[in-house]
Amino acid sequence: MMHYLLRRSVHAVFLLIGVSLLAFAFTVLAPGNYFDEMRLNPQITPETIAALRAQYELNQPLPIRYVHWVSSVLHGNMGFSFAYNTPVAPLLLVRARNTLLLTVTAMLLAWGIALPLGIWSAERFGRLSDRLVSWGTAALLVIPDLALALGLLVIAVKMGRFPIGGMVSLNFENLSLAGKLRDLGFHMALPVTALVLSVLPLLVEHVRAAVAEVLGAPFLLAAEGHGIPRRTLLYRYALPAAANPLISLFGFSMGTLLSGSLLVEVVMSWPGVGPFLLEAILARDIYVVIGGVLLSTLFLVGGNFLADLLLYWADPRIRTESNA
Amino acid sequence: MVRTARANCSSWRIIFVLLFVLAALFTLPVAASPQQKNSKEELLVLPGEIGRSGGRLVVSLRAEPKTLNPLNAPDISSREVIGAMQADLVHINRATLSTEPALAKSWKISPDGLQYTLVLRRGLKFSDGSPMDADDVQFTFRVYLDEKVHAPQRALLIFDGKPISLQKVDSQTIVFQVPKPYAVAERMFDGCAILPRHLLEKPYKEGKIAQLGALTTAPNQWAGLGPFRLKEYVAGQRLALERNPYYWKTDTKGNRLPYLDELVFLFVPSADAQVLRFQSGETDVISRLAAENFSVLSRQQKDYTMVDAGPGLEYNFLFFNLSDPTEKTPADIVQRQKWFRDVKFRQAVSSAVDREAIVRLVYQGRGAALWGLVTPGNRRWADEKLPHPPRSVERARELVKEAGFSWGAAGNGDSWLQDSGGKPVEFSIITQSSSAERSKMAALIQDDLKQLGMRVQVVPLESRSLLDRVTETKEYDACVLGAASTDADPNVDINVWLSSGGLHLWNPSQTHPATPWEAEIDRLFNAQMYARTFEERKKLYDRAQEILWENQPMIFLASPDILTGAKKSVGNFRPAVLEPYVLWNVEQLYLRNEAVNATR
């Protein structure tokens, strides 16, 4: 077990170093820099811009900047934001918290719907009800996320029941605990719905396909022949047997927790990483962008690590292989 | 006996009352709340509709402000917030576009035009209650002029390479010395917010002043002289400001401004979301609207009013790459630059461009066609003699023919323009992909020039990549771009006009003027900067505009209107054409019906 964990950890560290190198190279080598936009401001002289570039080490060679940045990461700052004139880590973490609140809720809800719906659909494989589910998921799949989010916003404006954006009301601090939770829930309703609708088709189809494949297996036919009730058959025998690809998918979906909601956050003014990263990319606030990429990679690595552990626990074949 | 006792008693009562009144008179100034006017204060009385105090105004910002520090705030959102928290000595009134007294109650210019004596109002206080005097002014300008601070305001305070100097006469009076008599030098004070010496002197001496003013700063650690002060910042969501009780302006009835208790900036990252939040009543005012959104809101308006303030000071233009080729410049660009350098070629392009169609199709008619850098929104400085010829493809054809171009037949029956060497006239126009308006303009120009036989490709580029090409690598043919003057006075556009300027985009930062007409523009512009009367300056500036028109290094296209809206409950809403469009008079804005606002 320890050997298995150690091997996965070493892989994760190499992956993080590789991603940081690539993210750094691509971001830094992109044409233009943060201070270019200042050139269009007639009040700012070229000398001031040159001095600022020097102050923020934009004139230094790439390897030196990378080493300084790595040192900053090790000190917990993740570089320095040109725009905010402060270290990146605190800026990113406060927004990452908001993003996680949104995406974890949406992910739990999406899996909570996808598992029973996928199993229900697989059980009726080929029948009209299964086809209806397939058509529904296909329809959701072809609607772009942007259209989905904007459509929900338009409905919300027409209904006038839900807030159009933001995370809490202006009088949030004056509300009771129940009032605060209700207010937060109201604000989360639209973005969570948009996120659930965007990931649901993929999850339902995966669960459906995995369970349908297992349902035709001889051991299940034998179990059915022994008179085991259908419900027990599905949830106790079929689902664990179909779990492997679903656990991998779960691990992967953890990786998208930070980056998966970027578009929805921008459209719905959710104060998460999305609007912050988009602005940083457009403004070439490079250390914010690299910080965002690194944090997403960390989540992906963490998700895969968790999935590996779950697979190790769920699948005896992996235990045997890694112990061998 | 009884009468005497009664008389004694009433005498004591009178003495007691008199003593009480005297004590009250002595203690009143100390105990008076900042809301009440102190007799030692010289407050500025603002004319206008009398409002009612209280309430909260909610405004959306497209991007989160980055800092509260006026020393390093290049972005619009930060400037908008800082504008509500800080004040300057002399201010440009956004409605009249002229200067008016602000923290300085008056100023006097010496006969030789070299000395500006400014007298401060009495009783001024920062938003934390600390008094403000000439020492704060001295400290402020020392910081702005310090090269190590890199404040953008420094450029405003340098004349002909020499910085201004200042001297404190007494706690209310400061003398500013300018190196050369400079037209409208008092305008330089607008945008130079007076900094609190008691809070910033120590960090300045430690070299940390530029790092101050993060949004997470504790409210008691930041002070200004503007109508509002910091209340609360919630990362990614909002910034709330509260009323500055020590503000130095009143209405005509003596009520201390601002009327509003709170000003909240919500961060709404997309234009469409801003519109939806305004529509749903979550925000009270909206500005920087695109024409499409303005039309939609105008059609649906119920409890809000939409206002078209007319053309602003933004000018959009097409320019060709006239920079000197280097060893790295690709040969095909050098080849095409030969066409671009021919003034008749540029004039032909200008003649073929349909500016009215741009206004109609890009701005839905809410804008003005442009033939010069000065927009119709800047009535004082626009040159009325500048020709405004309508589009003429025939005239354009004559001009290219005179320049030695001819038309050759293409395979599909069309005829294409070619130069004297038989090379087809084909080039690309780069533009900002983030600006839908400019991309549309480039597409319309492409269509217009097709009728002249020119083959044009439109290449939308990300903003910083575009600027990198234009100012650094110079690898482009032509570009559609826009800029906005930050003041009505021409001096703010110095970097556009002068051949040495970084915004002289067609050939930036020249060591010597590349052409005689650029040398002449340099001479005229420099002369108007130091001319003493408006008439003299206008004559020189008009001539510079005419030379620019004759040579067409920039082909001016159109200027959009400033489109804004506000709830009907917002009083004193008078949008201006200069930034900040709707919050320039934020101290006078008020809510007619607080109940509506409070329900949010």
Side-chain angles (χ1 to χ4, degrees), chain B residues 36-70:
Chain B
Q36 292 165 312
K37 189 180 166 180
N38 183 324
S39 59
K40 286 183 185 168
E41 287 180 307
E42 285 178 320
L43 302 180
L44 176 65
V45 180
L46 288 189
E49 195 181 313
I50 304 291
R52 59 190 292 278
S53 296
R56 176 169 63 199
L57 189 87
V58 186
V59 187
S60 62
L61 292 177
R62 190 83 51 88
E64 194 170 335
K66 308 295 177 291
T67 179
L68 304 173
N69 191 340

Side-chain angles (χ1 to χ4, degrees), chain B residues 321 323 329-330 333 468-476 507-508:
Chain B
N321 181 359
S323 61
T329 312
I333 290 183
D468 192 57
R469 284 199 190 202
V470 171
T471 57
E472 291 289 317
T473 64
K474 318 270 171 67
E475 285 181 19
Y476 74 101
N507 188 5

Side-chain angles (χ1 to χ4, degrees), chain B residues 300-330:
Chain B
Q300 296 173 351
Q301 58 183 300
K302 290 172 190 162
D303 58 345
Y304 47 81
T305 315
M306 303 309 296
V307 180
D308 180 344
L313 304 188
E314 178 185 322
Y315 49 95
N316 292 282
F317 49 91
L318 166 76
F319 62 96
F320 289 99
N321 181 359
L322 304 182
S323 61
D324 293 332
T326 62
E327 286 171 9
K328 287 182 184 170
T329 312

Side-chain angles (χ1 to χ4, degrees), chain B residues 10 15 26 32 93 97 124 178 217 219 225 276 291 293 347 367 455 458 482 489 503 510-511 541 549 580 586 591:
Chain B
S10 76
I15 290 166
F26 278 112
N93 183 312
L97 301 180
L124 289 170
V178 288
T217 306
L225 290 152
L276 285 171
N293 283 334
Q347 286 170 341
R455 283 185 248 198
V458 175
D489 194 86
L503 283 176
Q510 299 169 32
T511 42
Y541 192 54
W549 163 256
V586 66
L591 299 172

Side-chain angles (χ1 to χ4, degrees), chain B residues 90-110:
Chain B
V90 177
H91 195 66
I92 296 170
N93 183 312
R94 268 51 181 172
T96 62
L97 301 180
S98 333
T99 47
E100 63 184 20
L103 296 172
K105 65 177 177 184
S106 64
W107 67 89
K108 206 169 68 188
I109 308 167
S110 64

